[in-house]
């Protein structure tokens, strides 16, 4: 037995055996005691007016020589459809609290040209605005998440924006939307009141923000059939003061169920002044990246404990609406957070997704930052050229986990990998029962040097799926070689003793179906 065509595809010798001199990691699934549904929006995407995150990355305008449909570039649009993007967040991020929605409506030639003081001081012609975003979400079949301007806006401006998007009346704002080309209101699924209010969204303390949140939220009024979930701007990293202050609004939550956001980024060094390189990094930074990204589990547990105290029925969502890797900016592009995306990022993504599955009852949304050309992107573009990153492949491989039901999983014999203080379990795993009834498993080997033997027991007839790995820790796709890192398929049957055993290569991710 062997992985089909794997040697040819990725240059790594890989054998599957029923017995091995290596220590085995035994994996067991408790299919009789399933957990929460893994909300599809755990696989959410984020687009911000930041560098080429929107302009060129997604939007080129209808007059562009780059093939497009009504201004959306065709190659990126198709890649996003293939990814089955469940949720889109816009317009920020830090940009949201300086964005005035009326600048981005009406004929393009008449829209204001504004300075993006948040990202690079460049001119934004506002050709991508409310209509362009909401129409894109519809084209992708994605839920729409709009982030309101609390920092430099007003309750009136915010309320009017929501009315413009959602009203089916004959109000002046609804009729203005019609004049601008949209007759029926859009479905607005989520609306956030501010972003990172502890920092770029206003440098507020938690108690002050709570009062502002209640003030602004009071005036968000929509038709009963188009009521968005309101999202409060929460904390970051290990901060819990926002969660504590927001959850103490017990009288408010009793009649207006919503969610609290949180942000956490993975830095190899944990030093914002020198975060580490996206490529050509030492193994010590591979180990530190894995260790630091896994801290998200402690962050989730700490905040969930606070929420459970006030909300034992778990009706308020905890939304990690910004997460991912953050490295030093690519030389020559200092303001726009463009970075390469390597196999390391793919492993980081898989580790995080496994954790989010585990806490799916409370963690109903997570949004990686960002979708195109910014931070841990799915897609990179260079004018007319486009490539899919290793992180894109991880998200596509995990599509069966969207709205699947979590299956508890246990690993026995799992050793540790690491360097110095950065020690992590070698194997990371998650399992779920898909909407179609199929049983899915994802396995990650964090060790960049050594194979790991995985014993899935004798309950399964075979395992079929895809594997993503490569020879080097920083293997990545380029515009000259866009398929250097890509998944390959495999299928394995049990050995003569009836046990299903696979040898997982170093720094590898598997997403597969278990046939019962």
């Amino acid at each position: 037995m062997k992985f089909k065509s794997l040697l040819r595809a990725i240059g790594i010798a890989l054998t599957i055996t029923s017995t091995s001199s290596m220590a085995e990691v035994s994996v067991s699934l408790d299919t009789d005691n399933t957990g929460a549904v893994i909300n599809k929006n755990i696989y959410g995407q984020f687009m911000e007016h930041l560098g080429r995150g929107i302009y060129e990355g997604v939007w080129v305008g209808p007059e562009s020589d780059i093939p497009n449909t009504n201004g959306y570039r065709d190659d990126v649009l198709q890649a996003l459809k293939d990814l089955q993007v469940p949720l889109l967040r816009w317009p920020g991020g830090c940009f949201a609290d300086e964005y005035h929605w009326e600048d981005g409506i009406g004929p393009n030639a008449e829209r204001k040209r504004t300075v993006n003081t948040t990202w690079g001081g460049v001119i934004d012609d506002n050709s991508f605005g409310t209509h362009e975003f909401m129409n894109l979400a519809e084209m992708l079949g994605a839920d729409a998440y709009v982030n309101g301007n609390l920092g430099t806006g007003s309750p009136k401006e915010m309320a009017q924006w929501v009315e413009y998007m959602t009203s089916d009346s004959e109000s002046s704002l609804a009729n203005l939307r019609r004049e601008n080309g949209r007759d029926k209101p859009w479905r607005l699924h989520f609306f956030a009141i501010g972003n990172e209010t502890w920092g770029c969204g206003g440098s507020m303390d938690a108690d002050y923000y709570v009062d502002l949140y209640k003030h602004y939220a009071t005036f968000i009024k929509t038709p009963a059939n188009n009521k968005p979930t309101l999202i409060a701007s929460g904390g970051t990293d290990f901060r819990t003061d926002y969660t504590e202050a927001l959850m103490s609004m017990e009288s408010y939550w009793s009649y207006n169920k919503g969610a609290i956001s949180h942000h956490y980024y993975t830095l190899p060094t944990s030093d914002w002044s020198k975060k580490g390189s996206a490529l050509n990094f030492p193994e010590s930074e591979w180990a530190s990246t894995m260790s630091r990204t896994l801290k998200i589990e402690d962050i989730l547990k700490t905040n969930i404990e606070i929420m459970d105290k006030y909300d034992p029925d778990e009706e308020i969502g905890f939304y990690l609406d910004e997460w991912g890797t953050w490295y030093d900016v690519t030389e020559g592009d200092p303001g726009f957070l463009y970075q390469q995306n390597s196999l390391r990022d793919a492993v980081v993504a898989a580790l995080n997704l496994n954790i989010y599955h585990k806490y799916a009852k409370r963690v109903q949304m997570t949004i990686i930052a960002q979708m195109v050309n910014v931070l841990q992107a799915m897609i990179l573009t260079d004018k007319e050229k486009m490539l899919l990153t290793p992180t894109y492949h991880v998200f596509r491989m995990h599509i069966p986990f969207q709205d699947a039901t979590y299956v508890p999983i246990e690993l026995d014999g799992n050793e540790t990998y690491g360097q110095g203080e950065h020690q992590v379990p070698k194997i990371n795993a998650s399992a779920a029962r898909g909407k179609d009834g199929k049983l899915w498993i994802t396995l990650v080997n964090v060790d960049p040097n050594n194979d790991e033997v995985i014993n899935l027991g004798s309950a399964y007839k075979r395992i079929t799926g895809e594997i993503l790995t490569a020879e080097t820790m920083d293997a990545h796709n380029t515009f000259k070689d866009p398929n250097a890192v890509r998944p390959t398929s495999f299928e394995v049957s049990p050995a003569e003793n009836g046990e299903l055993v696979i040898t997982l290569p170093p720094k590898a991710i598997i997403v597969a179906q278990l046939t019962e």
Side-chain angles (χ1 to χ4, degrees), residues 36-352:
V37 171
I38 299 167
N39 195 305
K40 63 183 175 63
N41 289 332
I42 281 176
Y43 290 84
Q45 299 291 336
F46 177 25
M47 54 194 307
E48 183 171 4
H49 292 246
L50 197 176
R52 300 195 303 279
I54 291 177
Y55 300 112
E56 185 201 301
V58 176
W59 178 257
V60 293
E63 305 302 321
S64 175
D65 291 335
I66 297 174
N68 69 87
T69 299
N70 299 324
Y72 306 96
R73 56 184 298 163
D74 289 337
D75 51 0
V76 171
L77 196 61
Q78 186 58 56
L80 295 176
K81 289 179 179 178
D82 293 343
L83 198 59
Q84 297 183 29
V85 173
L87 170 82
L88 277 180
R89 179 185 180 217
W90 171 85
C94 292
F95 179 83
D97 281 296
E98 294 189 21
Y99 181 68
H100 300 282
W101 68 273
E102 290 180 295
D103 294 343
I105 61 171
N108 272 328
E110 299 175 13
R111 296 185 187 183
K112 289 183 179 180
R113 293 171 58 84
T114 54
V115 178
N116 187 338
T117 58
T118 302
W119 300 114
V122 299
I123 296 297
D124 190 330
D125 67 4
N126 285 294
S127 59
F128 191 94
T130 301
H131 288 251
E132 290 73 25
F133 170 73
M134 297 298 285
N135 289 342
L136 175 61
E138 279 191 341
M139 294 166 70
L140 297 176
D143 288 358
Y145 173 165
V146 173
N147 210 126
N149 180 351
L150 178 76
T152 63
S154 67
K156 179 181 178 180
E157 180 184 19
M158 191 178 289
Q160 288 181 333
W161 192 11
V162 172
E163 181 183 345
Y164 183 89
M165 290 185 284
T166 65
S167 177
D168 57 359
S169 72
E170 291 296 323
S171 74
S172 295
L173 285 167
N175 285 331
L176 178 60
R177 183 193 68 234
R178 295 182 180 101
E179 291 173 16
N180 289 330
R182 175 71 183 200
D183 181 21
K184 299 296 183 183
W186 294 283
R187 177 69 176 97
L188 179 61
H189 299 83
F190 301 94
F191 191 84
I193 298 176
N195 167 77
E196 292 191 1
T197 53
W198 41 265
C200 66
S203 300
M204 306 170 191
D205 62 37
D207 291 334
Y208 178 72
Y209 172 69
V210 166
D211 287 338
L212 285 182
Y213 173 83
K214 290 187 290 186
H215 181 182
Y216 278 63
T218 300
F219 299 99
I220 303 298
K221 299 175 181 179
T222 66
N225 64 350
N226 199 358
K227 184 177 176 61
T229 297
L230 296 185
I231 303 171
S233 174
T236 184
D237 296 344
F238 280 92
R239 285 185 63 168
T240 59
D241 54 330
Y242 268 76
T243 302
E244 187 77 52
L246 287 163
M247 288 306 298
S248 68
M249 304 188 302
E250 292 181 82
S251 60
Y252 173 84
W253 294 121
S254 67
Y255 66 87
N256 195 349
K257 300 293 187 290
I260 297 172
S261 73
H262 200 89
H263 293 173
Y264 179 68
Y265 286 97
T266 298
L267 281 61
T269 65
S270 75
D271 180 355
W272 283 95
S273 64
K274 189 172 179 56
K275 295 177 280 292
S277 175
L279 303 176
N280 301 314
F281 49 84
E283 187 178 338
S284 61
E285 289 192 7
W286 171 281
S288 64
T289 301
M290 301 305 148
S291 172
R292 290 189 168 110
T293 207
L294 289 175
K295 291 183 184 298
I296 189 59
E297 183 163 17
D298 288 333
I299 291 171
L300 294 180
K301 287 194 292 187
T302 302
N303 282 278
I304 289 171
E305 182 179 352
I306 294 170
M307 297 183 76
D308 287 349
K309 179 175 64 175
Y310 293 95
D311 176 35
D313 294 331
E314 299 180 275
E315 295 181 298
I316 310 303
F318 189 73
Y319 294 175
L320 190 71
D321 60 3
E322 287 187 31
W323 68 273
T325 53
W326 196 321
Y327 309 124
D328 294 330
V329 297
T330 299
E331 187 175 353
D333 198 2
F336 301 141
L337 307 190
Y338 179 92
Q339 62 189 39
Q340 248 298 351
N341 191 292
S342 74
L343 182 64
R344 176 175 63 170
D345 298 285
V347 172
V348 165
L351 293 176
N352 279 268

